[in-house]
Amino acid sequence: MKYIAEFRDGELARGLAKTIAATVNPTREYRLMEFCGGHTHAISRYGLQDLLPANVRLIHGPGCPVCVLPIGRIDSAIALATQHDVILCTYADTLRVPASGGLSLLKAKAQGADIRMVYSSADALRIAQDNPSRAVVFFAIGFETTTPPTAAIILQAQRLQLANFSVLCNHVLTPAAMVHIMESQQDPAAVAIDGFVGPAHVSTVIGSGQYEGFVARYQRPVVIAGFEPLDVMQAILMLIQQINTGRAEVENEFTRAVRRDGNRKAQGLCEQVFELRDRFDWRGLGEVPLSALKIRPEFAQFDAELRYQVGYAQVPDHKACECAAILRGHKRPADCKVFGTVCTPDHPLGACMVSSEGACAAHYTYGRFRGGG
Ligand code: SF4
């Protein structure tokens, strides 16, 4: 298929691996963070770390949407579904994220709460239209990729004058999380990062220009890459070339989809509907200033947080779970003592084992841990 098969060609991948091996400086290490869960998944699925020289280390970042959602936010959604007689709609992976008291949205559903899995935000709006006598809440999560569709349904709900529809907004922002990671580099547990593989889909929305300030401030190169294996290999080569020559620039490997200005229409929708939160609690990163969105006061009638007075309380992860350290890039999935034993994709103990983009789930599914990764 055009745009997929040619980016998975094994012979080209081996050629790129040879070029990378010939380009690295054997006297130094290259520690490259792939921010996005889509890249983490591709790296595990195609065994990309195994194609790289030993001194090129890939570090998983916090770019898996369900992984960074803290337990307290899931608890709030469960409370909303069980105490307010609403139909709560959300994406499949969100249903399985462990919450407090051994619960999850899926278990709350099994206990009688009306919680429904949707494929898109538009599905949730349709459920509200089909059930005019019931209150319907869309539990919205994700980075800049899923934010414009949430903005679009809020605007559509306003046009339709849908009084029974609202959104519990948990959308978060990539650049703020990258800044937080660089600001945490003083942490003694932190692995020094030499460069970033920038996200694919997020960058189609926000544009490559959004990373320019970050690169200038922290002097770390960012190469935006697509999600296919050759995209990631090419981005790694481009990062190594920048590091070797002492450059720190934003480069765009994913030119078939990403522009410097991004998608202006999608950005406009988001600006119309959302504004910045002062701070937001991320799983793993803790409270990060200006890192998430809330619904503007003009759309308060569609804001479930206001409508139902949804509270939030910080809840620590399970004692055995290392998700926080993995999301900060300090540890690898196999460093967790319960990885692949107590915690598996069928019985996840932590959020990183739920989604296919989660580092633990990706490592487990493709068996990379058996090679020591
Ligand atoms: S293996 Fe499970 S418990 Fe351990 S860090 Fe990963 S998600 Fe958390």
Side-chain angles (χ1 to χ4, degrees), residues 16 20 223 229-239 253:
L16 263 172
I20 290 172
V223 176
L230 293 189
D231 288 314
V232 182
M233 292 289 284
Q234 179 65 32
I236 290 168
L237 176 61
M238 291 162 78
L239 282 169
E253 182 278 337

Side-chain angles (χ1 to χ4, degrees), residues 3 12 110 204:
Y3 293 137
L12 289 176
T204 63

Side-chain angles (χ1 to χ4, degrees), residues 320-323 326 333 336-340 343 348-353 360:
C321 180
E322 298 279 12
C323 274
I326 290 168
C336 175
K337 289 191 177 67
V338 295
F339 173 80
C343 185
L349 197 66
C352 299
M353 194 55 101
C360 298

